[in-house]
């Protein structure tokens, strides 16, 4: 009865928002009936999954909060620079974005509307779904500028390792540092560890 709708949801990785469902001709009434029928499951307000969906907390969080970017420890984890799974998500968002209700699951860092985009990339989670994260150059600038967020020994170890990698762009890191008004801190730090 609901096979064509389930196919649409499965084509989207087994997950759909009510907004996207509506765009695909699946009304809220149909979604409600599918939940009652146990064809799909409602996992959060406006988010529905089929049996095909592999649970991915990072993806679900960003689906609910698309104006966030994973940063600091979470970015390091997503970029495979640490094996340590973050206890709480580190997210960066704009100053006008009210996410106070997320404090239990996320460390919230705020920047202005222009800086939120600086160094933002799409990266796959461990289930293969794409989320927004900062690249390694932006992440390192953030870590150096906010030394209390990550343990100093861990930060030093990760930064030393990253700057030796072929694809690490030192010039890009310093360009970000200038835009984030952290150039002096980053320069002094780099001179001290090299």
């Amino acid at each position: 009865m609901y096979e064509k709708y389930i196919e649409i949801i499965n084509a989207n990785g087994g997950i759909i928002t009510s907004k996207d469902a509506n765009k695909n001709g699946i009304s809220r009434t149909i979604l409600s009936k599918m939940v009652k029928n146990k064809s799909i499951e409602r996992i959060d307000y406006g988010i529905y999954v089929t049996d095909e969906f592999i649970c991915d907390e990072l993806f679900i969080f960003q689906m609910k909060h698309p104006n966030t970017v994973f940063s600091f420890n979470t970015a390091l984890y997503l970029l495979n620079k640490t094996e340590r799974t973050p206890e709480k998500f580190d997210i960066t968002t704009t100053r006008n974005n009210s996410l106070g209700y997320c404090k239990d699951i996320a460390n919230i860092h705020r920047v202005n509307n222009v800086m939120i985009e600086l160094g933002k990339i799409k990266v796959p989670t461990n289930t293969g779904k794409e989320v927004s994260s900062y690249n390694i150059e932006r992440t390192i600038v953030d870590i150096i500028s906010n030394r209390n967020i990550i343990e100093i020994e861990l930060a030093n170890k990760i930064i030393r390792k990253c700057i030796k990698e072929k694809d690490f762009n030192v010039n890009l890191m310093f360009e970000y540092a200038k835009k984030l008004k952290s150039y002096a801190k980053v320069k002094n730090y780099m001179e001290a560890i090299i």
Side-chain angles (χ1 to χ4, degrees):
M1 181 176 181
Y2 299 114
E3 289 82 10
K4 73 174 186 175
Y5 302 127
I6 290 171
E7 280 180 32
I8 291 168
I9 299 169
N10 283 343
N12 194 48
I15 188 168
I16 200 162
T17 62
S18 51
K19 182 180 174 184
D20 287 337
N22 193 40
K23 286 180 191 173
N24 284 284
I26 309 170
S27 68
R28 289 181 191 266
T29 306
I30 291 170
L31 288 172
S32 295
K33 287 179 181 177
M34 290 174 74
V35 169
K36 281 182 185 168
N37 182 316
K38 298 195 187 304
S39 301
I40 60 173
E41 180 186 349
R42 180 177 171 238
I43 59 168
D44 209 316
Y45 180 77
I47 301 176
Y48 303 86
V49 296
T50 66
D51 292 340
E52 295 286 311
F53 180 70
I54 300 167
C55 188
D56 186 328
E57 291 180 20
L58 292 163
F59 180 76
I60 292 169
F61 181 88
Q62 211 159 64
M63 188 177 229
K64 287 168 52 179
H65 309 288
N67 51 353
T68 62
V69 182
F70 290 116
S71 53
F72 295 94
N73 287 302
T74 309
L76 291 173
Y77 177 74
L78 286 165
L79 296 167
N80 297 315
K81 303 303 179 190
T82 181
E83 293 174 11
R84 192 183 286 188
T85 307
E87 291 176 27
K88 288 171 87 172
F89 300 143
D90 278 303
I91 58 165
T92 298
T93 190
T94 55
R95 290 193 176 105
N96 59 347
N97 188 9
S98 175
L99 290 174
Y101 59 91
C102 294
K103 283 188 219 168
D104 291 342
I105 60 166
N107 298 313
I108 303 166
H109 311 279
R110 298 186 185 281
V111 294
N112 67 37
N113 292 358
V114 175
M115 293 305 139
I116 190 83
E117 298 295 322
L118 191 68
K120 181 174 152 182
I121 59 171
K122 289 285 188 186
V123 293
T125 65
N126 59 4
T127 67
K129 300 206 173 24
E130 283 197 338
V131 293
S132 296
S133 171
Y134 285 127
N135 62 19
I136 193 60
E137 291 83 2
R138 165 71 188 259
T139 301
I140 287 177
V141 171
D142 285 343
I143 290 169
I144 294 169
S145 302
N146 302 278
R147 296 286 299 271
N148 59 336
I149 304 240
I150 295 179
E151 297 168 23
I152 291 172
E153 285 180 36
L154 177 65
N156 290 344
K157 182 180 168 189
I158 290 169
I159 292 169
R160 279 192 183 102
K161 182 181 167 203
C162 289
I163 61 176
K164 291 177 184 170
E165 293 175 357
K166 279 189 290 187
D167 59 344
F168 183 77
N169 188 331
V170 174
N171 293 331
L172 185 61
M173 178 192 67
F174 280 117
E175 184 183 316
Y176 290 161
K178 285 176 187 171
K179 289 179 179 175
L180 292 163
K181 297 182 176 31
S182 300
Y183 183 79
K185 273 186 183 177
V186 172
K187 184 174 181 285
N188 292 340
Y189 180 89
M190 287 298 170
E191 287 172 352
I193 67 164
I194 293 175

